[in-house]
Amino acid sequence: DAGVIQSPRHEVTEMGQEVTLRCKPISGHNSLFWYRQTMMRGLELLIYFNNNVPIDDSGMPEDRFSAKMPNASFSTLKIQPSEPRDSAVYFCASSFLQGTGDTEAFFGQGTRLTVV
Amino acid sequence: GQQVMQIPQYQHVQEGEDFTTYCNSSTTLSNIQWYKQRPGGHPVFLIQLVKSGEVKKQKRLTFQFGEAKKNSSLHITATQTTDVGTYFCAGSRNQFYFGTGTSLTVIP
């Protein structure tokens, strides 16, 4: 397996534009996580899905952020409209969780977003 | 909600010195995992501890899980420049509760 695949790797956009980040989890994993990482706030969980269903989106900053998982092999994180403070590295991770917590999280390479 | 704190936030050491990062949870954990993120990279799984008081070693790295399963530590003996990065602990159950991370700088 190629691991968790994220695209794009880098994105530079102007304030106000829509940004869509994409993630392909590892096949067979039932859980998918979106994280945002900044120097100031560290690694923050934005949202996670279990079996394609959003379970906890309390980390989503505001209505400008939305995430979808239409099927087990694809997820998107959308920011509309984008703002400079959204600049960060966005990670997608997947895992196979059964409630016993005995598997690890596999992270993608991340998308470095810069909003100017 | 569950909170996992790590100290210190930053640590600078001379190459060859030892390094320790501590992880504390507000609630009892069923397990603890440790991840390493190299500069510019993504977090990569290192190890998982499950049992109360468990100690595991990976070469120069020693991982401990507290008796109460609410804290953990990672100790690196004789640091090398390849140890540079941010070390995260994480508890897991239905999701991963990542700690705040400790950024390690090793001065040659």
Side-chain angles (χ1 to χ4, degrees):
Chain A
D1 201 314
V4 177
I5 300 173
Q6 290 187 246
S7 64
R9 290 292 306 279
H10 303 273
E11 177 80 26
V12 180
T13 190
E14 291 185 344
M15 181 173 62
Q17 296 297 306
E18 176 180 296
V19 175
T20 299
L21 311 181
R22 296 172 176 79
C23 175
K24 182 182 187 315
I26 291 174
S27 176
H29 283 183
N30 65 352
S31 300
L32 183 141
F33 308 82
W34 282 101
Y35 292 91
R36 178 173 66 177
Q37 187 174 42
T38 61
M39 288 292 291
M40 292 296 293
R41 302 174 70 90
L43 194 61
E44 301 175 275
L45 176 66
L46 300 177
I47 185 171
Y48 84 93
F49 296 83
N50 184 264
N51 293 320
N52 312 337
V53 176
I55 302 300
D56 183 355
D57 64 354
S58 59
M60 296 286 263
E62 49 198 89
D63 291 346
R64 297 185 298 106
F65 285 69
S66 63
K68 294 181 179 180
M69 191 165 186
N71 56 63
S73 60
F74 184 65
S75 177
T76 59
L77 177 67
K78 185 177 294 186
I79 308 173
Q80 165 64 21
S82 58
E83 297 181 3
R85 60 191 169 123
D86 300 330
S87 298
V89 179
Y90 290 81
F91 287 106
C92 174
S94 73
S95 183
F96 186 78
L97 290 177
Q98 296 176 292
T100 55
D102 55 359
T103 59
E104 67 202 74
F106 292 83
F107 282 78
Q109 301 282 345
T111 295
R112 181 173 295 277
L113 173 65
T114 303
V115 183
V116 298
Chain B
Q2 185 159 16
Q3 293 186 339
V4 181
M5 303 297 294
Q6 282 182 253
I7 55 171
Q9 188 175 1
Y10 302 97
Q11 184 78 61
H12 295 240
V13 300
Q14 206 72 34
E15 188 174 16
E17 292 182 339
D18 292 355
F19 159 77
T20 304
T21 173
Y22 300 91
C23 176
N24 295 287
S25 170
S26 57
T27 60
T28 301
L29 300 168
S30 57
N31 62 63
I32 193 81
Q33 299 178 347
W34 284 92
Y35 293 77
K36 177 183 178 181
Q37 182 179 20
R38 295 181 185 275
H42 58 281
V44 175
F45 175 80
L46 292 176
I47 205 165
Q48 176 173 277
L49 305 172
V50 178
K51 300 176 182 176
S52 170
E54 188 172 11
V55 178
K56 286 188 176 180
K57 292 191 175 184
Q58 287 181 348
K59 298 182 180 178
R60 294 177 295 104
L61 278 62
T62 302
F63 304 84
Q64 291 188 317
F65 200 9
E67 293 291 339
K69 301 184 77 172
K70 294 181 72 174
N71 56 72
S72 180
S73 66
L74 158 59
H75 180 81
I76 302 178
T77 303
T79 54
Q80 299 175 359
T81 54
T82 53
D83 296 325
V84 165
T86 301
Y87 292 85
F88 293 95
C89 63
S92 70
R93 185 179 287 276
N94 294 313
Q95 61 158 295
F96 294 93
Y97 300 93
F98 277 89
T100 46
T102 296
S103 176
L104 172 64
T105 299
V106 179
I107 305 165

